[in-house]
Every structure is written in structure tokens, then in C-alpha cells.
Amino acid sequence: MPRKVVQVGKRADKETEGLQSTTKDSKEEEITKLNRLLGAVLRYLSDDDVEEIDIEYLLKNTEGLREWWDQYRENNRKEIEEEIKKSLSELSLKELESIREKVKAREG
């Protein structure tokens, strides 16, 4: 019996190693992708011919950037919501009403 446990343990170790190398490979792929996106953005920003930075142009013309940005925003949405809630709780009722009116004015 102990021999089987050792063999199962060795098999589990091999499976874990396989998962770790897969995870390592996917991390390396992600790093390569992020390096490519960063390089494209920096090339655009450093272009002397660009007079005005157009974020929409960057998102549209850099392959994978919009998807990355959408994923980034979604992943950080909850954190941002918590920060907003915390900030809003520190404001007075008068300040909150003022903000509300400004938002309404922009929408209308």
C-alpha cells in the first residue's frame, strides 16, 4: 500500500510540474503580449508627427489593446466602485447634491 501512495504522489508531482510549466508558458506569453502592446503605444506617443494623442485611434489600431483595456477595466471595476463608495461617504449631503446636479447638467 505505501508503494502506491508514493507512486500516486510522484504522478501528482509530475502533473503539478506540467501545470506549472503551462502556467509559466502562459505567463511568458502574457508578458510578451503586454510588451508588444506597450511598445506600440510608446511608438505612437513618441511619434513627432502626432500633434494630438488620440486614445480611440490607439485602441482601434493596436491589435489586442482594446480587449486588454476592456478586461483591465472590468477586473478593476469592483476596486474602483469601493474607492468611490469610500470617497462618497466622506462627502457631506450638500456636496453630494452639488455633484448630482453637475452630472444632471452634463447629461441634459
Side-chain angles (χ1 to χ4, degrees):
M1 275 304 217
R3 200 172 245 188
K4 285 186 180 180
V5 172
V6 171
Q7 290 175 349
V8 170
K10 286 182 181 179
R11 188 173 357 149
D13 287 344
K14 287 182 181 179
E15 289 173 3
T16 303
E17 285 174 12
L19 289 174
Q20 287 174 345
S21 73
T22 302
T23 303
K24 186 177 180 181
D25 290 344
S26 65
K27 285 182 181 180
E28 288 176 7
E29 288 174 15
E30 183 69 16
I31 289 170
T32 301
K33 177 183 171 185
L34 291 173
N35 281 334
R36 184 184 57 77
L37 292 174
L38 180 59
V41 170
L42 290 175
R43 271 192 304 278
Y44 173 79
L45 293 176
S46 64
D47 186 348
D48 292 336
D49 294 336
V50 175
E51 294 178 16
E52 185 175 307
I53 296 171
D54 184 353
I55 300 298
E56 188 57 36
Y57 174 87
L58 266 172
L59 292 172
K60 184 178 179 182
N61 294 299
T62 305
E63 182 183 339
L65 185 59
R66 184 177 303 278
E67 292 79 13
W68 175 85
W69 179 242
D70 291 342
Q71 182 182 7
Y72 176 83
R73 287 191 327 187
E74 183 59 32
N75 290 343
N76 292 298
R77 183 180 54 84
K78 289 186 179 185
E79 183 179 321
I80 292 168
E81 286 175 356
E82 289 301 316
E83 288 178 22
I84 290 170
K85 286 178 187 177
K86 185 189 284 186
S87 297
L88 290 176
S89 68
E90 296 171 359
L91 296 175
S92 69
L93 182 58
K94 187 175 182 176
E95 291 170 318
L96 288 172
E97 288 174 349
S98 172
I99 293 170
R100 182 175 161 231
E101 289 180 18
K102 288 178 184 177
V103 168
K104 276 181 133 177
R106 288 184 183 167
E107 292 174 351

